[in-house]
Amino acid sequence: MRKFAWLSIVTAVATIVLKTAAWAMTDSVGLLSDAAESTVNLVAAVVALVALTVAARPATERFLYGRAKAEYFSAAVEGLMIFVAAAVILVTAVERFVNPRPLENLGIGLVVVVIASVLNGVVALVLLRAGTRHNSITLRADGQHLMTDVVTSAGVLIGVGLVALTGWERLDALVAFAVGVNIIVTGISLLSESVSGLLDKALPDEDHQVITEILRRRTDEGSTTFHGLQTREAGQERFMSVHVLVPDEWTVKHGHDYIEGLEDELRGALPSLRVLTHLEPISDPASYQDIPAAHVPIHGEEHDPTRPPREQSP
């Protein structure tokens, strides 16, 4: 996936050059704010490349589960940088509102920004699709940031165009201020997602539905059942653990073969899923005393996961 990070870096450099040229030609603070956001894109893309490189490293004796969570640090850094860019934009916008200046060469300046926006839009779609396909928060964050940049540029183009039509120079500063506020909203979203990942957020509801459907289909009351399902995600990796309750008379070999088939089916439905199972005898009361306090319900309300199936009311 690092090729997508390199694509983002090259795009950021190109858009910085284009937007800075547009600002130099027009002296528009709105276009300056747009160029500042592209600078953030460049640094964020470099951070993303580092994060993806670290996350791709294999597990070691010190990092037994790998370094997949490095991607969340990338999203957090990008979110914090967005706040810095927003602060600079807001301060500049206030100063220009107090001391407005006439804009120049608007025609060619706006054309340059349109070219940069189209480039950003195409790359943003590529990153968002790659992020969804590979379940990468780093690529999704980078794609969302670039798409926000496209929306920002559209707003700036409209604002600067209205300045040309109306002659109201302070409108340029108001547009820049709106850009700053919009960037802050994006930064809050990125920080929220990265913090959730670092705190072992559960898998999405659609993944839970896939998992629970498989477990319900394999449930045979009085013979096999499941409880204590927990899930989490770390970067591109998805994890689940579940207690598998089987007949007391099953041999270890029988239970192992059953679990192997279950894990294969789960990984077939969710390819990046890592499955941890805990085998327990279905009739032993102790099997119902280690259910985690927080877990994903597998069966309907008629099923009590804390009691053996034979003891439950029909």
Side-chain angles (χ1 to χ4, degrees):
M1 293 186 296
R2 283 173 288 183
K3 63 182 179 182
F4 295 107
W6 278 113
L7 174 63
S8 182
I9 290 173
V10 172
T11 303
V13 171
T15 54
I16 287 172
V17 172
L18 291 171
K19 291 180 179 181
T20 301
W23 163 66
M25 287 185 287
T26 63
D27 196 30
S28 165
V29 70
L31 295 180
L32 174 61
S33 67
D34 207 11
E37 186 176 5
S38 292
T39 302
V40 174
N41 289 346
L42 173 59
V43 180
V46 173
V47 173
L49 177 62
V50 173
L52 289 171
T53 301
V54 172
R57 290 177 179 173
T60 65
E61 292 182 359
R62 185 175 182 183
F63 299 98
L64 297 174
Y65 291 94
R67 302 171 176 85
K69 285 191 175 182
E71 292 199 47
Y72 293 114
F73 289 101
S74 169
V77 170
E78 186 167 349
L80 291 173
M81 290 184 57
I82 285 176
F83 287 128
V84 173
V88 172
I89 292 170
L90 292 176
V91 171
T92 305
V94 171
E95 190 278 331
R96 184 60 62 89
F97 186 83
V98 175
N99 302 300
R101 301 176 194 171
L103 305 183
E104 303 174 352
N105 301 316
L106 286 180
I108 186 171
L110 295 183
V111 170
V112 172
V113 174
V114 168
I115 295 173
S117 298
V118 171
L119 179 61
N120 265 343
V122 172
V123 175
L125 290 175
V126 171
L127 293 178
L128 288 171
R129 290 174 180 172
T132 299
R133 185 168 66 251
H134 297 287
N135 192 32
S136 169
I137 183 178
T138 298
L139 293 182
R140 291 200 305 270
D142 218 9
Q144 288 170 0
H145 195 179
L146 284 179
M147 192 58 73
T148 300
D149 197 4
V150 173
V151 175
T152 296
S153 297
V156 170
L157 287 170
I158 293 173
V160 175
L162 289 175
V163 171
L165 292 175
T166 64
W168 188 35
E169 296 168 354
R170 282 190 170 90
L171 182 59
D172 181 42
L174 292 177
V175 169
F177 194 88
V179 169
V181 173
N182 182 56
I183 292 174
I184 289 176
V185 173
T186 301
I188 292 174
S189 175
L190 289 176
L191 283 177
S192 175
E193 187 172 2
S194 64
V195 169
S196 294
L198 289 172
L199 295 178
D200 283 340
K201 178 181 64 175
L203 296 182
D205 290 341
E206 53 266 29
D207 288 349
H208 283 170
Q209 184 175 354
V210 171
I211 294 170
T212 54
E213 283 182 356
I214 292 174
L215 298 181
R216 283 196 296 266
R217 189 169 63 247
R218 281 179 163 264
T219 295
D220 180 7
E221 294 294 355
S223 176
T224 56
T225 189
F226 309 88
H227 62 216
L229 172 62
Q230 293 182 304
T231 68
R232 69 181 181 90
E233 59 182 344
Q236 304 167 52
E237 302 288 346
R238 292 181 286 186
F239 300 85
M240 67 159 281
S241 63
V242 67
H243 297 188
V244 183
L245 293 90
V246 302
D248 302 7
E249 63 273 13
W250 277 19
T251 64
V252 174
K253 175 75 165 57
H254 193 167
H256 176 265
D257 290 343
Y258 179 81
I259 287 177
E260 285 289 307
L262 171 65
E263 294 180 356
D264 287 344
E265 184 175 358
L266 288 166
R267 285 191 292 266
L270 298 172
S272 62
L273 185 65
R274 295 192 181 186
V275 184
L276 175 64
T277 52
H278 178 51
L279 193 66
E280 298 181 306
I282 196 168
S283 298
D284 188 351
S287 300
Y288 302 86
Q289 297 174 3
D290 59 350
I291 302 175
H295 59 273
V296 180
I298 298 173
H299 306 284
E301 295 181 357
E302 73 285 353
H303 182 92
D304 184 357
T306 65
R307 295 168 56 200
R310 295 187 182 90
E311 297 181 7
Q312 298 186 36
S313 301

